[in-house]
Amino acid sequence: YSLFPNIVLFRSLGYPYAYRFIPVQGNHEATYYDFMMFAPKPANGEPIPETRYINLGPDDSYSDCGAFAPWHGQIYDQDADAFALSQAGLRDGGDADLMFSNYQEVRIRHFHQTLSRYIDEAPAKK
């Protein structure tokens, strides 16, 4: 559920959310990271609440920002901590080919192979 090159969408029972990564110009080792949570339009006709924007610095915690239940913030803190480890792994991953989303890429490849087969096959005789 990623939109190459910089958006990852998540569906959940409670609400959908998305990660967006924007490169920092002139610094290939840094990125801006947006974490967006979406809520449904109020069913009772009340106005849609104002968008709430919280700017966290590199050393700030989701758990401590006041926007989440502590357990919920801990999950996002864990995700954010994993970004640096993932980046380090990508840099030091050796010589093997890298595939970012194996399942989705297989589906796309299969679609194109099937479409090519349909186009290349001679029409059925009546």
Side-chain angles (χ1 to χ4, degrees), residues 99-111:
M99 188 171 296
F100 287 105
S101 54
N102 190 29
Y103 175 72
Q104 287 84 2
E105 290 182 22
V106 166
R107 291 178 55 115
I108 293 168
R109 243 185 336 270
H110 179 262
F111 170 78

Side-chain angles (χ1 to χ4, degrees), residues 9-91:
L9 304 173
F10 297 91
R11 298 180 303 168
S12 69
L13 294 175
Y15 48 84
Y17 56 99
Y19 293 163
R20 178 175 63 177
F21 304 91
I22 302 170
V24 174
Q25 187 172 0
N27 183 355
H28 70 277
E29 299 207 6
T31 185
Y32 297 109
Y33 163 64
D34 293 329
F35 171 60
M36 297 170 275
M37 297 172 58
F38 304 96
K41 181 179 176 181
N44 60 5
E46 289 184 17
I48 297 173
E50 294 260 341
T51 299
R52 187 171 170 199
Y53 181 81
I54 300 170
N55 188 12
L56 298 179
D59 297 323
D60 293 334
S61 165
Y62 287 94
S63 299
D64 298 335
C65 75
F68 307 99
W71 65 269
H72 207 182
Q74 290 169 357
I75 292 170
Y76 301 130
D77 285 337
Q78 183 180 11
D79 286 352
D81 290 344
F83 294 151
L85 297 172
S86 296
Q87 185 66 32
L90 289 170
R91 281 195 202 102

